[in-house]
């Protein structure tokens, strides 16, 4: 029976598919770490209290990148280059979602509008990350090889998502609600398209590595398209609603370390 659990188990059990999966994940997390680090350094004076939380977010993403790389090396393997069509972070930037890297490489302070864009982008992408990690945690939390990594990263992603809700609600309360809602919707609609395309590309690479029959690949592709249609016609709202989280000040302390993965 084809299921998320059986599919991922197949990927984990094969060295080549596993290292491709972890390489893609490590690259995206490391890129997110760099982006958040630059944003923390460029926060406008009016939002300086936010800088430590953004820095914590970046430190968590860096840690996740190291964890995925360590999982590869523990099998005696090396990371592989990320195929361009599977590069979620790069493709989002090309769609104009989030803050452009050229903007982050400059030394000029960001504006409050930039911070709204950053938080809205994070709200959408962290929802995706939290959902994916919740699925992995459900099926692989006790897996001997990846269980500890899954639990740790999932906990962090839940914190990141809670943080974006809380900060966007704070800004909404002081008069930025309209621009926040518009930015959230724009980000969500673009992210869904990118996620669909990246998922199709990743599954194509996995199918080639694992020798999937055409029927299986076609069924998986149909499922990815079905998810996109569901999200496009209403499911996107889970990425744009804002509710005060149970976890308040989720990024208020230092990043947790993961020495066993370093």
């Amino acid at each position: 029976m084809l299921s998320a659990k059986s599919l991922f188990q197949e990927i984990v059990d094969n060295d080549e598919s596993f290292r491709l999966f972890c390489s893609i994940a490590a690259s995206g997390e490391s890129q997110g770490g760099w982006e958040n680090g630059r944003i923390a350094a460029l926060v406008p004076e009016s939002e300086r209290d936010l800088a430590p939380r953004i820095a914590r977010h970046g430190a968590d993403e860096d840690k996740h990148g190291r964890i995925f790389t360590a999982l590869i090396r523990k099998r005696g393997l090396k990371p592989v280059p990320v195929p361009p069509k599977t590069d979620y972070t790069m493709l989002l930037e090309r769609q104009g979602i989030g803050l452009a890297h050229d903007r982050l490489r400059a030394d000029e302070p960001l504006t409050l509008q930039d911070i709204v864009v950053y938080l809205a982008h994070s709200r959408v992408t962290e929802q995706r990350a939290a959902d994916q990690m919740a699925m992995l945690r459900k099926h692989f939390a006790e897996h001997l090889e990846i269980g500890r990594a899954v639990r740790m990263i999932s906990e962090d992603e839940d914190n990141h998502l809670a943080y974006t809700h809380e900060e966007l609600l704070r800004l909404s309360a002081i008069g930025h609600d309209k621009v926040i809602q518009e930015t959230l919707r724009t980000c969500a609609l673009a992210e869904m398209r990118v996620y669909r395309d990246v998922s199709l590309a990743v599954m194509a690479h996995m199918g080639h590595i694992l020798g999937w029959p055409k029927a299986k690949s076609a069924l998986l592709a149909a499922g990815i398209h079905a998810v996109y249609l569901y999200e496009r016609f209403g499911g996107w709202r889970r990425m744009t609603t804002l509710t005060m989280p149970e976890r308040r000040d989720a990024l208020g302390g230092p990043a947790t370390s993961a020495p066993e993965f370093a």
Side-chain angles (χ1 to χ4, degrees):
M1 180 179 177
L2 192 60
S3 66
K5 181 178 181 180
S6 65
L7 181 66
F8 193 73
Q9 186 68 63
E10 191 174 355
I11 291 170
V12 169
D13 288 344
N14 179 278
D15 282 351
E16 290 303 309
S17 57
F18 181 72
R19 76 168 178 167
L20 176 60
F21 172 84
C22 288
S23 295
I24 292 170
S27 175
E29 296 286 355
S30 297
Q31 187 64 56
W34 176 82
E35 291 174 357
N36 279 278
R38 290 301 299 154
I39 292 167
L42 299 173
V43 166
E45 193 59 38
S46 63
E47 292 294 315
R48 289 310 301 173
D49 288 347
L50 192 57
R53 293 172 176 80
I54 301 174
R56 158 76 186 274
H57 190 177
D60 284 344
E61 303 287 7
D62 280 334
K63 178 183 69 179
H64 300 168
R66 294 195 304 273
I67 288 173
F68 282 115
T69 299
L71 290 173
I72 297 171
R73 298 193 185 283
K74 282 184 177 180
R75 285 201 185 184
L77 305 171
K78 294 181 180 180
V80 295
V82 175
K85 289 185 178 180
T86 70
D87 194 330
Y88 174 79
T89 304
M90 178 189 71
L91 292 172
L92 281 175
E93 187 193 7
R94 287 183 178 176
Q95 292 288 320
I97 302 303
L99 298 176
H101 288 181
D102 287 346
R103 180 78 175 88
L104 297 181
R105 291 188 184 99
D107 289 326
E108 295 184 8
L110 300 174
T111 65
L112 181 57
Q113 175 66 25
D114 290 329
I115 296 301
V116 168
V117 168
Y118 152 70
L119 286 169
H121 169 252
S122 295
R123 160 71 182 93
V124 170
T125 56
E126 292 300 336
Q127 181 72 61
R128 183 73 70 188
D131 289 349
Q132 289 180 321
M133 293 310 303
M135 182 275 293
L136 291 178
R137 186 176 61 210
K138 176 181 177 181
H139 298 301
F140 295 94
E142 303 307 319
H143 190 280
L144 291 178
E145 183 179 12
I146 66 171
R148 180 168 174 77
V150 165
R151 295 193 303 271
M152 182 177 294
I153 295 172
S154 181
E155 178 73 12
D156 287 345
E157 300 298 4
D158 287 345
N159 284 337
H160 300 167
L161 185 58
Y163 147 79
T164 62
H165 275 272
E166 186 171 5
E167 295 301 334
L168 284 168
L169 285 169
R170 175 180 63 82
L171 292 172
S172 180
I174 59 174
H176 301 285
D177 183 65
K178 183 177 179 180
V179 67
I180 287 171
Q181 288 303 319
E182 289 174 351
T183 307
L184 281 170
R185 188 175 189 277
T186 298
C187 285
L189 294 176
E191 190 278 343
M192 292 184 313
R193 293 191 298 270
V194 169
Y195 180 71
R196 175 200 60 193
D197 294 345
V198 167
S199 296
L200 290 169
V202 169
M203 287 300 104
H205 281 280
M206 295 301 175
H208 176 73
I209 292 170
L210 297 168
W212 289 340
K214 290 183 178 180
K216 181 174 181 176
S217 295
L219 182 60
L220 287 170
I224 291 168
H225 283 293
V227 169
Y228 171 74
L229 289 175
Y230 162 75
E231 292 186 337
R232 180 64 183 83
F233 293 102
W236 58 269
R237 290 184 176 85
R238 83 182 192 285
M239 296 183 174
T240 61
T241 56
L242 296 174
T243 56
M244 188 58 70
E246 292 183 9
R247 302 183 184 203
R248 302 295 294 273
D249 195 20
L251 297 187
T256 56
S257 62
E260 66 274 34
F261 293 108

